[in-house]
């Protein structure tokens, strides 16, 4: 049966339960027939029905996503960045400057930029390489296991821990666990009996507690880590308040952990499904790894969307968007746009150019951690395909979510490396 645009309901939970191929096919129909489309309010567990009254526009074409991303005066980030609405209190507690506009966004982003300067990035690269090697040392002799549990969860967690200066042990593990729970509110299994709000709110409060404790400690005893730079950093003579530090910690815990976690699982899954591309990579890893990482990012689109709110009436194609309406930017669709990519459904590590939208469509909110994410994926994939090159993981267990393109479990086998 052929699907038409009017039959596609991006607001429905059931749409996000469907396999990725079916969702991809639906977005292809939208790009062709109705590239800027209006939806009823997203089915939500976060707000009671009487408060969940706002529908949303979807941008499905690469060019439109790029346009909205680069015109923040028309497409504001204040007021929320997800298709589903959160209460304003939750947005403030958890989303920091990703949900703000300039000048405050630029100011807070500026304070944190110091942490991402080249000297600090070089230190991070050392950590990334060390942690990736340690993890593959631990898994290589096993011969089988869940790649998500053995590597995907642990690598970004350990890097984040080193970056932020989290003490090893219970606090570290609790923090990473809370960060990973945070974006799973739509998945009944991940919620484990809690309501979406309990899961989300609980994880946010745990992360804020750790942040407050760590900030206090770093003021007393500075170290060589992100929290020290944050509590000391000034921008136009201003420092971040405690509340701002806590919200930034929550944002970064989630932005840095969940995205890279799922990207690494998608990488192993994609190479298992496309052995010709794995062979191509292995013929010359140093020359092909950068292209492979970009294609994994395009292919996976670990963040499926970000949202904006129109600040004025604006027409895109023939859609008349009114001031105050929500506009969702579907990166997963932009990354399959036939007008931009030849054979968009082919996983091709030699694709060139490959200006994907996995880190956003450009503009002031472009992913702050893109360099770190690329380094992490490059280092990890190099280590995996050098040490355990025959790793196979073609069957994935996906998260049900409309924001994160997640893999919950990825059962893998490989020839054990001699201990
Ligand atoms: C594969 C991994 C990652 C993906 C796919 C990803 C994707 C994104 C996307 C799509 C945005 C929003 C862009 C926009 O609205 O225009 C974003 C923003 C952001 N990302 Fe990432 N990200 C990743 C890794 C990271 C890492 C490792 C960090 C931190 C070290 C990070 C920190 C941030 C921050 C702080 C923002 C907000 C920037 C702002 O509002 O100015 N991300 N990311």
């Amino acid at each position: 049966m052929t699907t038409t645009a009017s039959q596609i309901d991006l607001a429905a939970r059931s749409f996000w339960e469907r396999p990725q191929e079916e969702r991809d096919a639906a977005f292809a129909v939208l790009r062709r027939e109705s590239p800027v489309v209006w939806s009823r309010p997203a089915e939500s567990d976060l707000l009671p029905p009487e408060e969940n009254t706002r529908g949303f526009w979807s941008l499905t074409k690469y060019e439109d996503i790029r346009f909205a991303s680069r015109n923040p005066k028309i497409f504001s980030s204040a007021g929320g960045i997800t298709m589903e609405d959160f209460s304003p209190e939750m947005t403030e507690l958890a989303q920091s400057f990703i949900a703000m506009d300039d000048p405050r966004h630029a100011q807070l982003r500026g304070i944190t930029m110091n942490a991402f300067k080249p000297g600090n990035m070089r230190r991070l690269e050392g950590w990334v390489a060390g942690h990736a090697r340690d993890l593959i040392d631990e898994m290589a002799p096993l011969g089988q296991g869940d790649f998500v549990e053995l590597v995907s969860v642990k690598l970004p967690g350990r890097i984040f821990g080193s970056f932020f200066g989290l003490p090893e042990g219970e606090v570290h593990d609790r923090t990473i666990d809370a960060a990973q729970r945070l974006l799973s509110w739509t998945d009944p299994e991940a919620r484990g009996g809690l309501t979406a709000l309990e899961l989300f709110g609980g994880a946010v409060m745990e992360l804020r507690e750790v942040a407050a404790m760590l900030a206090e400690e770093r003021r007393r005893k500075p170290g060589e880590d992100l929290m020290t730079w944050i509590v000391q950093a000034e921008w136009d003579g201003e420092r971040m308040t405690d509340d701002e530090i806590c919200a930034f910690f929550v944002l970064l815990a989630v932005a840095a952990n969940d995205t890279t976690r799922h990207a690494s699982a998608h990488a192993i899954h994609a190479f298992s499904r496309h052995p010709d591309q794995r062979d191509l990579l292995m013929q010359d890893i140093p020359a092909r790894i950068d292209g492979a990482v970009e294609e994994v990012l395009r292919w996976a689109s670990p963040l499926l969307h970000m949202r904006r709110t129109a600040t004025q009436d604006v027409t895109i194609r023939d859609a008349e968007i009114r001031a105050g309406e929500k506009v969702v930017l579907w990166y997963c669709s932009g990354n399959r746009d036939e007008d931009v990519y030849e054979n968009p459904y082919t996983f091709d590590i030699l694709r060139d150019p490959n200006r994907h939208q996995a880190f956003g469509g450009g503009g002031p909110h472009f992913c702050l951690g893109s360099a770190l994410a690329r380094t992490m994926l490059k280092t990890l994939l190099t280590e995996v395909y050098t040490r355990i090159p025959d790793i196979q993981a073609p069957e994935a267990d996906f998260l049900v979510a409309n924001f994160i393109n997640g893999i919950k479990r990825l059962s893998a086998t490989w020839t054990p490396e001699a201990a």
Side-chain angles (χ1 to χ4, degrees), residues 144-164:
Q144 62 171 12
D146 175 4
F147 188 82
V148 169
E149 190 190 335
L150 292 172
V151 177
S152 301
V153 171
K154 287 184 181 162
L155 183 60
R158 288 187 190 181
I159 296 167
F160 179 78
S162 304
F163 194 22
F164 250 111

Side-chain angles (χ1 to χ4, degrees), residues 97-98 105 109 255-256 259 303 308 331 358-359 364-365 367 369 372:
F97 58 77
I98 200 169
H105 161 263
R109 184 170 164 128
T259 49
L303 271 185
R308 304 291 194 262
Y331 304 128
F359 293 122
H365 290 278
C367 176
L372 176 56

Side-chain angles (χ1 to χ4, degrees), residues 69 77 97-99 105 109 116 163 248 251-252 255-257 259-260 263 297 301-303 305-306 308 329 331 357-370 372-373 377:
S69 304
S77 294
F97 58 77
I98 200 169
H105 161 263
R109 184 170 164 128
F116 291 83
F163 194 22
F248 176 64
L251 164 63
L252 219 57
N257 265 297
T259 49
T260 40
L297 287 163
S301 301
L303 271 185
H305 79 263
M306 281 279 164
R308 304 291 194 262
L329 287 52
Y331 304 128
Q357 297 184 320
F359 293 122
H365 290 278
F366 187 78
C367 176
L368 192 61
S370 58
L372 176 56
L377 286 171

Side-chain angles (χ1 to χ4, degrees), residues 79-389:
I81 48 123
T82 48
M83 166 174 114
E84 286 181 54
D85 276 320
F86 286 83
S87 66
E89 298 77 31
M90 253 331 151
T91 302
E92 198 174 316
L93 287 175
Q95 296 184 350
S96 184
F97 58 77
I98 200 169
M100 291 179 194
D101 295 325
D102 291 350
R104 192 60 183 148
H105 161 263
Q107 208 171 27
L108 292 176
R109 184 170 164 128
I111 291 177
T112 62
M113 286 298 271
N114 184 37
F116 291 83
K117 66 187 180 195
N120 292 333
M121 280 297 111
R122 273 195 295 280
R123 188 174 301 129
L124 261 174
E125 279 171 25
W127 284 331
V128 173
H131 289 313
R133 222 178 8 254
D134 289 352
L135 283 171
I136 304 305
D137 281 349
E138 289 165 27
M139 82 172 272
L142 303 178
Q144 62 171 12
D146 175 4
F147 188 82
V148 169
E149 190 190 335
L150 292 172
V151 177
S152 301
V153 171
K154 287 184 181 162
L155 183 60
R158 288 187 190 181
I159 296 167
F160 179 78
S162 304
F163 194 22
F164 250 111
L166 284 177
E168 283 195 14
E170 195 258 336
V171 175
H172 175 277
D173 296 349
R174 198 155 53 91
T175 307
I176 304 308
D177 180 60
Q180 275 154 4
R181 261 184 288 134
L182 201 76
L183 290 188
S184 312
W185 79 85
T186 44
D187 188 275
E189 184 193 332
R191 283 210 301 265
L194 296 177
T195 66
L197 206 55
E198 281 166 350
L199 175 118
F200 190 86
V204 167
M205 294 328 275
E206 258 186 71
L207 288 171
R208 288 179 63 96
E209 240 173 65
V210 175
M213 183 267 295
L214 203 59
E216 177 58 32
E217 199 170 303
R218 288 297 177 268
R219 283 196 188 100
R220 273 190 289 110
K221 198 165 146 246
E224 287 280 305
D225 52 52
L226 181 58
M227 188 54 96
T228 303
W229 301 320
I230 299 280
V231 296
Q232 291 175 346
E234 286 188 13
W235 182 265
D236 284 347
E238 266 197 65
R239 291 196 173 173
M240 271 189 176
T241 64
D242 275 359
D243 258 356
E244 285 165 348
I245 290 175
C246 289
F248 176 64
F249 185 82
V250 178
L251 164 63
L252 219 57
V254 177
N257 265 297
D258 237 45
T259 49
T260 40
R261 158 193 172 168
H262 294 300
S264 70
H266 276 288
I268 304 301
H269 182 245
F271 280 113
S272 303
R273 290 256 161 167
H274 303 275
D276 58 318
Q277 296 299 302
R278 188 201 50 202
D279 295 347
L280 206 56
L281 173 63
M282 276 168 25
Q283 283 160 16
D284 194 346
I285 295 181
R288 295 191 176 143
I289 189 68
D290 288 328
V293 166
E294 296 314 311
E295 183 64 348
V296 163
L297 287 163
R298 182 191 77 89
W299 190 250
S301 301
L303 271 185
L304 295 161
H305 79 263
M306 281 279 164
R307 176 198 130 193
R308 304 291 194 262
T309 305
T311 57
Q312 60 186 67
D313 293 355
V314 56
T315 303
I316 303 188
R317 297 180 194 262
D318 55 3
E320 290 175 9
I321 299 173
R322 304 250 167 255
E325 286 177 340
K326 300 199 290 187
V327 182
V328 176
L329 287 52
W330 292 106
Y331 304 128
C332 54
S333 179
N335 281 340
R336 298 282 187 276
D337 191 332
E338 300 76 0
D339 288 342
V340 176
Y341 297 102
E342 234 173 81
N343 303 321
Y345 298 98
T346 305
F347 180 65
D348 173 9
I349 65 167
L350 302 183
R351 192 179 285 284
D352 185 25
N354 190 356
R355 290 187 207 96
H356 59 76
Q357 297 184 320
F359 293 122
H365 290 278
F366 187 78
C367 176
L368 192 61
S370 58
L372 176 56
R374 286 183 163 117
T375 302
M376 202 204 82
L377 286 171
K378 181 174 167 173
T379 312
L380 177 65
L381 293 180
T382 302
E383 198 72 25
V384 167
Y385 288 107
T386 310
R387 304 270 302 274
I388 45 171

